[in-house]
Amino acid sequence: MKWNERTYMLKKYIKRIMISYYDGLNRILSFYGHHCMNVEKKSENCSDSVTGSIEKLKADGYVYNKPFCNQLKLKNINQYDLSLLVPVYNAKNFLDQCLNSLLNQNTQYKYQIVIVNDGSTDGTDEILHKYENIENVVICKQNNGGISSARNRALELADGKYVGFIDNDDLVSSDYVEKLVSKAYTSNADVVKCGYTIFDEGGIIGNQIGEAFSSRNGFGSRLMKYDGLILGGIFLRKLFLNVSFPVSYWYEDMVTRTLIYPICNNVEYLSEALYNKRDHASNASKVVWKKNIKCMDQIFLTREIQRRQRELGYVLQSEDIHALIYEYSYMASKRIVKKYLKEAFYCSLDAVLELLNDEKSHQIKFNDTEMEFVKAVMDKDYRMYCLVMKKMHLLDMDLL
């Protein structure tokens, strides 16, 4: 057994031990602490806790913005089969590789590449000069507004029937356009998704490939079995008539599973890794996300999405409710730093209870850990919530 494999197995073993430890604590807390906790809950005003949590976040510098204020001004024409949208920010190290993989496509279909330079300061402009006179390349420069702002602008510039989203440090296979567009046209699909690999300088380090499927009723029960990334696939552009990316918020891909997928009918999934995600030291998840108060965007963006669903008149199915609870629980456990765990609890409590009170939530097949989360919320039990979140933080998707 190689050293890397041994390290992986050791980490997995330690995780299992820690999960068992939190399970034990949870049982003890449930059995012995129930009466004490009821007394504590009666003495604590939940609305006061919410107000106090919000005040603490403001004092620590958290800024709340409404992320879905403006409707996008999409074009009414489809001059291309597909528009590939590339938000670019300080990408000089990998940009040529990314754009070359997009330009060198073996396909019968007509496609364009829309690049939005989001205020780069590292010499990215000079690299983009080389692509200015290519017929199917559109380049736009704007002041730095973040990846959501750049994606929204790219959507407004796009002329394709379908759109696909590409990160500026990633690569796609040479048949990416051909396979995705071909499947979209033959199936009259709203969305065609595919698998992806993860690679670094040494080569492929992992992949995410689901089973192929074709559906005329959206994702349905498959919703939680497939990734919620906006990358690795194509979407009918008109799906974004009332949906935009949340400006000034992190975790913008959340809109895929919660605002895009619920309005899709025809969905296709190709069981092939056609997209390639680059893993490197300057990834935002490694550099920016750690120990930052912006982690609370996980809670407030989920709340805003819930509000936006009501505003747009979405009729949620049990899977859609499950997806939101998943954001408040599993994804929050991965992103919320310990310092703000109490604020996350109180600021999500009423929203999660609203979801659980929906009759369709009774159809959800929660696993044991999710049921522990549900119980903690229903009992308004912060201590149990902490234990469940610590346990979820250790869990991998395949262990849920």
Side-chain angles (χ1 to χ4, degrees), residues 192-355:
V192 182
K193 286 284 287 177
C194 66
Y196 62 88
T197 63
I198 305 170
F199 73 100
D200 61 14
E201 293 178 354
I204 295 174
I205 57 176
N207 62 63
Q208 183 74 40
I209 306 172
E211 292 183 8
F213 75 85
S214 176
S215 172
R216 295 293 170 268
N217 295 299
F219 274 83
S221 60
R222 302 180 187 88
L223 183 64
M224 300 306 297
K225 297 178 182 178
Y226 290 82
D227 72 77
L229 298 175
I230 199 72
L231 309 172
I234 61 176
F235 304 76
L236 268 179
R237 182 159 55 92
K238 68 179 182 180
L239 292 171
F240 293 89
L241 283 171
N242 294 307
V243 177
S244 60
F245 289 96
V247 176
S248 299
Y249 276 72
W250 287 355
Y251 320 125
E252 65 285 338
D253 276 18
M254 199 188 296
V255 303
T256 313
R257 189 180 269 147
T258 57
L259 290 177
I260 295 294
Y261 288 169
I263 58 174
C264 294
N265 293 312
N266 298 353
V267 177
E268 299 283 338
Y269 184 89
L270 297 178
S271 188
E272 298 180 63
L274 303 176
Y275 192 94
N276 304 289
K277 285 174 57 64
R278 188 189 300 271
D279 182 69
H280 55 87
S282 55
N283 280 138
S285 58
K286 294 182 178 181
V287 178
V288 182
W289 291 3
K290 303 298 183 183
K291 298 182 180 179
N292 191 310
I293 194 172
K294 284 284 285 177
C295 69
M296 284 299 296
D297 281 356
Q298 175 64 30
I299 301 300
F300 286 102
L301 179 55
T302 310
R303 290 182 65 97
E304 279 298 308
I305 285 172
Q306 212 171 324
R307 181 191 63 78
R308 185 64 173 156
Q309 288 175 336
R310 291 194 298 270
E311 192 173 83
L312 294 174
Y314 279 30
V315 178
L316 298 183
Q317 302 305 314
S318 60
E319 295 84 5
D320 304 317
I321 296 171
H322 194 182
L324 288 168
I325 293 173
Y326 174 84
E327 294 293 343
Y328 284 119
S329 57
Y330 179 79
M331 292 309 298
S333 78
K334 299 293 184 182
R335 291 168 171 170
I336 303 297
V337 298
K338 184 179 179 181
K339 180 180 179 180
Y340 297 112
L341 200 56
K342 191 168 188 176
E343 286 68 39
F345 173 69
Y346 285 113
C347 290
S348 61
L349 199 58
D350 65 321
V352 180
L353 286 171
E354 178 187 312
L355 294 169

Side-chain angles (χ1 to χ4, degrees), residues 64-95:
Y64 168 77
N65 295 301
K66 287 190 174 181
F68 304 116
C69 296
N70 300 318
Q71 186 174 24
L72 298 181
K73 298 175 182 177
L74 302 184
K75 294 182 179 180
N76 293 321
I77 54 174
N78 294 324
Q79 293 185 338
Y80 293 88
D81 298 302
L82 173 66
S83 297
L84 295 171
L85 314 183
V86 190
V88 173
Y89 179 71
N90 289 353
K92 68 175 183 178
N93 292 333
F94 306 115
L95 187 56

Side-chain angles (χ1 to χ4, degrees), residues 65-216:
N65 295 301
K66 287 190 174 181
F68 304 116
C69 296
N70 300 318
Q71 186 174 24
L72 298 181
K73 298 175 182 177
L74 302 184
K75 294 182 179 180
N76 293 321
I77 54 174
N78 294 324
Q79 293 185 338
Y80 293 88
D81 298 302
L82 173 66
S83 297
L84 295 171
L85 314 183
V86 190
V88 173
Y89 179 71
N90 289 353
K92 68 175 183 178
N93 292 333
F94 306 115
L95 187 56
D96 271 327
Q97 294 177 51
C98 173
L99 295 181
N100 285 331
S101 79
L102 301 182
L103 288 167
N104 295 318
Q105 291 290 304
N106 298 320
T107 182
Q108 63 185 303
Y109 297 106
K110 191 178 179 184
Y111 71 99
Q112 71 173 161
I113 301 168
V114 179
I115 303 166
V116 176
N117 184 1
D118 190 41
S120 297
T121 58
D122 70 337
T124 291
D125 294 49
E126 286 72 19
I127 295 173
L128 290 176
H129 271 314
K130 298 184 296 184
Y131 301 93
E132 286 179 341
N133 296 320
I134 300 176
E135 184 180 359
N136 66 329
V137 175
V138 176
I139 299 175
C140 169
K141 186 173 183 179
Q142 65 175 29
N143 293 330
N144 181 249
I147 191 170
S148 288
S149 172
R151 282 179 178 169
N152 288 340
R153 183 65 183 127
L155 279 165
E156 293 182 324
L157 294 169
D159 292 312
K161 179 176 181 178
Y162 290 89
V163 292
F165 299 88
I166 313 291
D167 276 359
N168 59 202
D169 48 3
D170 294 342
L171 308 173
V172 300
S173 64
S174 60
D175 52 0
Y176 187 76
V177 171
E178 179 67 23
K179 288 189 173 181
L180 292 174
V181 177
S182 179
K183 176 59 73 172
Y185 279 146
T186 57
S187 305
N188 192 28
D190 297 325
V191 174
V192 182
K193 286 284 287 177
C194 66
Y196 62 88
T197 63
I198 305 170
F199 73 100
D200 61 14
E201 293 178 354
I204 295 174
I205 57 176
N207 62 63
Q208 183 74 40
I209 306 172
E211 292 183 8
F213 75 85
S214 176
S215 172
R216 295 293 170 268

